[in-house]
Amino acid sequence: VSDAENWFCECPKLYSGKLCQFATCDENPCGNGATCFPKSMRDAVCLCPYGRSGILCSDAINISQPSFSGTDVFGYTSFLAYSTIPNITFYYEFRLKFQLANHHSALQDNLIFFTGQKGQGLNGDDFLVLGLHNGRVVYGYNLGSGTATIISKPLDLTLSIHVIHLGRYLRKGWLKVDDQKNKTVTSPGRLVGLNVFSQFYLGGYHEYTPELLPKGSRFKNGFQGCIFDIQVRTSMNQEFKSPGTPEGHPNSGRSVGQCKDSPCSLIKCRNGGKCVESGSTVYCDCLTGWKGAFCTETVSVCEPEHDSPHLCKQGGTCVPLPDGYTCHCPLGTTGTYCEQG
């Protein structure tokens, strides 16, 4: 915005400074490789990586039964990523158990696991996916010549833990959920091998949104609840093993907690602030007028987050006073709010 000699930038949300050069996450306060997300001009939220928790992700946590929190308010899913599962081309079997966060989470399009080609969602991209849709388990795969899909009967939501056993040999796949009957499918076309190069994703996806998932498997949300005892084998006479290298160890993850643990139990938000948790990620949502990690700092009348913004015009600098504020006007302007030339 220019006013003869005096120009200034009207900054978009979350940026400040004469040239809008300051972003909350520039001086990233988050530790241990967390994802920094600007919650407001002054406050950031740290989305914690696997094995870390706390406001700045500085606390180590031990995870034996991972809990996933779906898609958080910032649009990121919580997930674990394991190394590519070897020798999955012609035969595989998976076993896992899961516990839903609540009945509603069974009705959303929630991803349980996914592995696929580069994830561009192009025709002929091989993939293997498992998820929930409308209270049913959906298992799909594409060997490059069309998608095969099996949909279970509705889950019995009175069960607290659900058990899935699924597999595939060449084009033929099968799915067994809880005590429902085994269902089978044969994939279309001629191709018999699953060629996937991506990591094995559990509970969600590392991308900002799962738009990159292949068309046949649009599970928009991450899983909400706990997934445990996941095991795989890629030949009939092999023992079942946990995914990962070394076995059972993910390469990475985000906002994954330990089942039944609540990071909010360790945090006290002040001045009416509310603790929000998303897996291992935790932060205070402050009432109007308060800011800071624990809502202990007041928002000054001159700050952009203040309820009624200050009225200094044309690059005038707002200076707080005990009972309000005054505007320091740049050269060439005058008036209470520097509104006159």
Side-chain angles (χ1 to χ4, degrees), residues 246-277:
E247 196 192 328
H249 289 260
N251 293 345
S252 65
R254 177 176 55 226
S255 296
V256 171
Q258 167 68 354
C259 204
K260 304 267 189 288
D261 279 7
S262 154
C264 274
S265 61
L266 307 170
I267 280 180
K268 285 265 178 289
C269 303
R270 307 285 179 193
N271 301 307
K274 193 167 102 267
C275 183
V276 180
E277 58 185 32

mmCIF file of all heavy atoms in Angstrom, residues 246-277:
data_model
loop_
_atom_site.group_PDB
_atom_site.id
_atom_site.type_symbol
_atom_site.label_atom_id
_atom_site.label_comp_id
_atom_site.label_asym_id
_atom_site.label_seq_id
_atom_site.Cartn_x
_atom_site.Cartn_y
_atom_site.Cartn_z
ATOM 1 N N PRO A 246 15.092 -51.666 12.017
ATOM 2 C CA PRO A 246 14.887 -53.026 12.536
ATOM 3 C C PRO A 246 13.415 -53.297 12.835
ATOM 4 O O PRO A 246 12.634 -52.357 12.923
ATOM 5 C CB PRO A 246 15.713 -53.011 13.833
ATOM 6 C CG PRO A 246 15.879 -51.581 14.197
ATOM 7 C CD PRO A 246 15.847 -50.805 12.939
ATOM 8 N N GLU A 247 13.101 -54.576 12.960
ATOM 9 C CA GLU A 247 11.717 -55.015 13.100
ATOM 10 C C GLU A 247 10.961 -54.221 14.171
ATOM 11 O O GLU A 247 11.449 -54.030 15.275
ATOM 12 C CB GLU A 247 11.687 -56.505 13.471
ATOM 13 C CG GLU A 247 10.321 -57.135 13.271
ATOM 14 C CD GLU A 247 10.203 -58.517 13.896
ATOM 15 O OE1 GLU A 247 11.211 -59.249 13.939
ATOM 16 O OE2 GLU A 247 9.099 -58.858 14.349
ATOM 17 N N GLY A 248 9.775 -53.710 13.784
ATOM 18 C CA GLY A 248 8.937 -52.993 14.742
ATOM 19 C C GLY A 248 9.268 -51.523 14.901
ATOM 20 O O GLY A 248 8.581 -50.804 15.617
ATOM 21 N N HIS A 249 10.352 -51.050 14.228
ATOM 22 C CA HIS A 249 10.749 -49.649 14.387
ATOM 23 C C HIS A 249 10.361 -48.825 13.174
ATOM 24 O O HIS A 249 10.830 -49.081 12.078
ATOM 25 C CB HIS A 249 12.263 -49.539 14.607
ATOM 26 C CG HIS A 249 12.691 -50.025 15.943
ATOM 27 N ND1 HIS A 249 12.966 -49.178 16.993
ATOM 28 C CD2 HIS A 249 12.851 -51.290 16.427
ATOM 29 C CE1 HIS A 249 13.289 -49.892 18.056
ATOM 30 N NE2 HIS A 249 13.233 -51.175 17.740
ATOM 31 N N PRO A 250 9.510 -47.799 13.362
ATOM 32 C CA PRO A 250 9.178 -46.934 12.224
ATOM 33 C C PRO A 250 10.345 -46.026 11.849
ATOM 34 O O PRO A 250 11.202 -45.746 12.686
ATOM 35 C CB PRO A 250 7.996 -46.095 12.737
ATOM 36 C CG PRO A 250 7.910 -46.296 14.200
ATOM 37 C CD PRO A 250 8.803 -47.428 14.598
ATOM 38 N N ASN A 251 10.377 -45.596 10.575
ATOM 39 C CA ASN A 251 11.371 -44.604 10.136
ATOM 40 C C ASN A 251 11.016 -43.222 10.656
ATOM 41 O O ASN A 251 11.887 -42.409 10.931
ATOM 42 C CB ASN A 251 11.394 -44.506 8.599
ATOM 43 C CG ASN A 251 11.900 -45.774 7.963
ATOM 44 O OD1 ASN A 251 12.479 -46.610 8.634
ATOM 45 N ND2 ASN A 251 11.668 -45.925 6.672
ATOM 46 N N SER A 252 9.731 -42.937 10.705
ATOM 47 C CA SER A 252 9.291 -41.605 11.133
ATOM 48 C C SER A 252 7.830 -41.659 11.530
ATOM 49 O O SER A 252 7.160 -42.676 11.351
ATOM 50 C CB SER A 252 9.477 -40.594 9.989
ATOM 51 O OG SER A 252 8.635 -40.926 8.904
ATOM 52 N N GLY A 253 7.353 -40.547 12.045
ATOM 53 C CA GLY A 253 5.953 -40.466 12.433
ATOM 54 C C GLY A 253 5.646 -39.065 12.916
ATOM 55 O O GLY A 253 6.548 -38.247 13.079
ATOM 56 N N ARG A 254 4.354 -38.780 13.139
ATOM 57 C CA ARG A 254 3.959 -37.460 13.613
ATOM 58 C C ARG A 254 2.716 -37.588 14.495
ATOM 59 O O ARG A 254 1.777 -38.305 14.152
ATOM 60 C CB ARG A 254 3.637 -36.555 12.407
ATOM 61 C CG ARG A 254 3.138 -35.154 12.784
ATOM 62 C CD ARG A 254 2.933 -34.258 11.572
ATOM 63 N NE ARG A 254 2.057 -34.842 10.580
ATOM 64 C CZ ARG A 254 2.304 -34.862 9.275
ATOM 65 N NH1 ARG A 254 3.397 -34.334 8.785
ATOM 66 N NH2 ARG A 254 1.451 -35.416 8.448
ATOM 67 N N SER A 255 2.732 -36.896 15.625
ATOM 68 C CA SER A 255 1.569 -36.805 16.523
ATOM 69 C C SER A 255 1.000 -38.173 16.892
ATOM 70 O O SER A 255 -0.211 -38.356 16.894
ATOM 71 C CB SER A 255 0.469 -35.943 15.893
ATOM 72 O OG SER A 255 0.914 -34.616 15.739
ATOM 73 N N VAL A 256 1.884 -39.122 17.172
ATOM 74 C CA VAL A 256 1.433 -40.460 17.580
ATOM 75 C C VAL A 256 1.674 -40.622 19.072
ATOM 76 O O VAL A 256 2.781 -40.412 19.549
ATOM 77 C CB VAL A 256 2.191 -41.551 16.788
ATOM 78 C CG1 VAL A 256 1.887 -42.937 17.347
ATOM 79 C CG2 VAL A 256 1.804 -41.490 15.327
ATOM 80 N N GLY A 257 0.619 -40.976 19.790
ATOM 81 C CA GLY A 257 0.737 -41.133 21.236
ATOM 82 C C GLY A 257 0.741 -42.590 21.646
ATOM 83 O O GLY A 257 0.696 -43.487 20.804
ATOM 84 N N GLN A 258 0.811 -42.812 22.947
ATOM 85 C CA GLN A 258 0.665 -44.168 23.483
ATOM 86 C C GLN A 258 -0.808 -44.341 23.853
ATOM 87 O O GLN A 258 -1.407 -43.480 24.482
ATOM 88 C CB GLN A 258 1.584 -44.348 24.707
ATOM 89 C CG GLN A 258 1.323 -45.591 25.539
ATOM 90 C CD GLN A 258 1.665 -46.908 24.835
ATOM 91 O OE1 GLN A 258 2.009 -46.945 23.662
ATOM 92 N NE2 GLN A 258 1.554 -47.995 25.546
ATOM 93 N N CYS A 259 -1.391 -45.458 23.429
ATOM 94 C CA CYS A 259 -2.801 -45.721 23.675
ATOM 95 C C CYS A 259 -3.129 -45.529 25.156
ATOM 96 O O CYS A 259 -2.363 -45.964 26.018
ATOM 97 C CB CYS A 259 -3.090 -47.160 23.262
ATOM 98 S SG CYS A 259 -4.801 -47.420 22.872
ATOM 99 N N LYS A 260 -4.244 -44.885 25.428
ATOM 100 C CA LYS A 260 -4.749 -44.693 26.807
ATOM 101 C C LYS A 260 -3.997 -43.608 27.591
ATOM 102 O O LYS A 260 -4.394 -43.274 28.686
ATOM 103 C CB LYS A 260 -4.725 -45.992 27.632
ATOM 104 C CG LYS A 260 -5.493 -47.159 27.025
ATOM 105 C CD LYS A 260 -6.924 -47.179 27.556
ATOM 106 C CE LYS A 260 -7.652 -48.443 27.157
ATOM 107 N NZ LYS A 260 -7.978 -48.467 25.724
ATOM 108 N N ASP A 261 -2.898 -43.058 27.047
ATOM 109 C CA ASP A 261 -2.199 -41.967 27.747
ATOM 110 C C ASP A 261 -2.735 -40.623 27.265
ATOM 111 O O ASP A 261 -3.090 -40.492 26.099
ATOM 112 C CB ASP A 261 -0.690 -42.006 27.446
ATOM 113 C CG ASP A 261 0.009 -43.028 28.321
ATOM 114 O OD1 ASP A 261 -0.690 -43.760 29.031
ATOM 115 O OD2 ASP A 261 1.253 -43.080 28.287
ATOM 116 N N SER A 262 -2.753 -39.645 28.150
ATOM 117 C CA SER A 262 -3.195 -38.321 27.742
ATOM 118 C C SER A 262 -2.119 -37.300 28.076
ATOM 119 O O SER A 262 -1.810 -37.092 29.246
ATOM 120 C CB SER A 262 -4.485 -37.968 28.477
ATOM 121 O OG SER A 262 -4.608 -36.575 28.572
ATOM 122 N N PRO A 263 -1.521 -36.660 27.028
ATOM 123 C CA PRO A 263 -0.497 -35.650 27.326
ATOM 124 C C PRO A 263 -1.066 -34.450 28.090
ATOM 125 O O PRO A 263 -0.338 -33.737 28.768
ATOM 126 C CB PRO A 263 0.038 -35.246 25.955
ATOM 127 C CG PRO A 263 -0.915 -35.768 24.952
ATOM 128 C CD PRO A 263 -1.711 -36.864 25.591
ATOM 129 N N CYS A 264 -2.398 -34.222 27.999
ATOM 130 C CA CYS A 264 -2.990 -33.073 28.713
ATOM 131 C C CYS A 264 -2.933 -33.258 30.229
ATOM 132 O O CYS A 264 -3.025 -32.284 30.973
ATOM 133 C CB CYS A 264 -4.437 -32.853 28.280
ATOM 134 S SG CYS A 264 -4.585 -31.830 26.802
ATOM 135 N N SER A 265 -2.776 -34.500 30.683
ATOM 136 C CA SER A 265 -2.730 -34.709 32.133
ATOM 137 C C SER A 265 -1.467 -34.082 32.727
ATOM 138 O O SER A 265 -1.386 -33.862 33.933
ATOM 139 C CB SER A 265 -2.768 -36.209 32.451
ATOM 140 O OG SER A 265 -1.639 -36.831 31.882
ATOM 141 N N LEU A 266 -0.466 -33.776 31.878
ATOM 142 C CA LEU A 266 0.799 -33.228 32.382
ATOM 143 C C LEU A 266 0.878 -31.711 32.230
ATOM 144 O O LEU A 266 1.878 -31.104 32.560
ATOM 145 C CB LEU A 266 1.973 -33.860 31.618
ATOM 146 C CG LEU A 266 2.010 -35.386 31.583
ATOM 147 C CD1 LEU A 266 3.066 -35.871 30.612
ATOM 148 C CD2 LEU A 266 2.257 -35.943 32.973
ATOM 149 N N ILE A 267 -0.190 -31.094 31.685
ATOM 150 C CA ILE A 267 -0.091 -29.680 31.330
ATOM 151 C C ILE A 267 -1.219 -28.873 31.961
ATOM 152 O O ILE A 267 -2.366 -29.308 31.946
ATOM 153 C CB ILE A 267 -0.137 -29.544 29.792
ATOM 154 C CG1 ILE A 267 1.250 -29.861 29.265
ATOM 155 C CG2 ILE A 267 -0.560 -28.162 29.360
ATOM 156 C CD1 ILE A 267 1.369 -29.765 27.824
ATOM 157 N N LYS A 268 -0.871 -27.735 32.524
ATOM 158 C CA LYS A 268 -1.889 -26.854 33.107
ATOM 159 C C LYS A 268 -1.951 -25.563 32.291
ATOM 160 O O LYS A 268 -1.021 -24.773 32.315
ATOM 161 C CB LYS A 268 -1.518 -26.503 34.558
ATOM 162 C CG LYS A 268 -1.748 -27.640 35.539
ATOM 163 C CD LYS A 268 -3.120 -27.485 36.202
ATOM 164 C CE LYS A 268 -3.424 -28.629 37.180
ATOM 165 N NZ LYS A 268 -3.689 -29.885 36.499
ATOM 166 N N CYS A 269 -3.059 -25.382 31.544
ATOM 167 C CA CYS A 269 -3.250 -24.117 30.834
ATOM 168 C C CYS A 269 -3.881 -23.130 31.813
ATOM 169 O O CYS A 269 -4.792 -23.488 32.555
ATOM 170 C CB CYS A 269 -4.184 -24.307 29.640
ATOM 171 S SG CYS A 269 -3.627 -25.564 28.466
ATOM 172 N N ARG A 270 -3.398 -21.890 31.811
ATOM 173 C CA ARG A 270 -3.889 -20.894 32.779
ATOM 174 C C ARG A 270 -4.950 -19.992 32.152
ATOM 175 O O ARG A 270 -5.146 -20.007 30.947
ATOM 176 C CB ARG A 270 -2.715 -20.023 33.264
ATOM 177 C CG ARG A 270 -1.537 -20.822 33.797
ATOM 178 C CD ARG A 270 -1.843 -21.387 35.158
ATOM 179 N NE ARG A 270 -0.717 -22.177 35.665
ATOM 180 C CZ ARG A 270 -0.809 -22.980 36.713
ATOM 181 N NH1 ARG A 270 -1.939 -23.099 37.366
ATOM 182 N NH2 ARG A 270 0.238 -23.670 37.116
ATOM 183 N N ASN A 271 -5.586 -19.204 33.024
ATOM 184 C CA ASN A 271 -6.503 -18.137 32.598
ATOM 185 C C ASN A 271 -7.587 -18.617 31.633
ATOM 186 O O ASN A 271 -7.884 -17.973 30.627
ATOM 187 C CB ASN A 271 -5.702 -16.988 31.963
ATOM 188 C CG ASN A 271 -4.699 -16.412 32.936
ATOM 189 O OD1 ASN A 271 -5.066 -16.045 34.045
ATOM 190 N ND2 ASN A 271 -3.428 -16.373 32.559
ATOM 191 N N GLY A 272 -8.151 -19.772 31.963
ATOM 192 C CA GLY A 272 -9.279 -20.271 31.169
ATOM 193 C C GLY A 272 -8.897 -20.925 29.859
ATOM 194 O O GLY A 272 -9.762 -21.287 29.063
ATOM 195 N N GLY A 273 -7.586 -21.091 29.613
ATOM 196 C CA GLY A 273 -7.152 -21.756 28.381
ATOM 197 C C GLY A 273 -7.534 -23.232 28.417
ATOM 198 O O GLY A 273 -7.647 -23.830 29.485
ATOM 199 N N LYS A 274 -7.725 -23.821 27.242
ATOM 200 C CA LYS A 274 -8.142 -25.211 27.148
ATOM 201 C C LYS A 274 -6.993 -26.032 26.571
ATOM 202 O O LYS A 274 -6.378 -25.630 25.578
ATOM 203 C CB LYS A 274 -9.362 -25.286 26.223
ATOM 204 C CG LYS A 274 -10.108 -26.595 26.257
ATOM 205 C CD LYS A 274 -11.464 -26.454 25.567
ATOM 206 C CE LYS A 274 -11.485 -27.026 24.166
ATOM 207 N NZ LYS A 274 -11.216 -26.243 23.019
ATOM 208 N N CYS A 275 -6.710 -27.173 27.177
ATOM 209 C CA CYS A 275 -5.661 -28.047 26.645
ATOM 210 C C CYS A 275 -6.217 -28.846 25.473
ATOM 211 O O CYS A 275 -7.279 -29.449 25.567
ATOM 212 C CB CYS A 275 -5.162 -28.989 27.744
ATOM 213 S SG CYS A 275 -3.810 -30.023 27.151
ATOM 214 N N VAL A 276 -5.494 -28.844 24.359
ATOM 215 C CA VAL A 276 -5.890 -29.599 23.167
ATOM 216 C C VAL A 276 -4.811 -30.639 22.901
ATOM 217 O O VAL A 276 -3.627 -30.317 22.905
ATOM 218 C CB VAL A 276 -6.010 -28.667 21.939
ATOM 219 C CG1 VAL A 276 -6.431 -29.448 20.705
ATOM 220 C CG2 VAL A 276 -6.981 -27.539 22.219
ATOM 221 N N GLU A 277 -5.217 -31.897 22.707
ATOM 222 C CA GLU A 277 -4.207 -32.914 22.411
ATOM 223 C C GLU A 277 -4.557 -33.624 21.119
ATOM 224 O O GLU A 277 -5.714 -33.782 20.757
ATOM 225 C CB GLU A 277 -4.087 -33.918 23.568
ATOM 226 C CG GLU A 277 -5.368 -34.631 23.902
ATOM 227 C CD GLU A 277 -5.235 -35.524 25.131
ATOM 228 O OE1 GLU A 277 -4.458 -35.191 26.030
ATOM 229 O OE2 GLU A 277 -5.906 -36.559 25.162
#
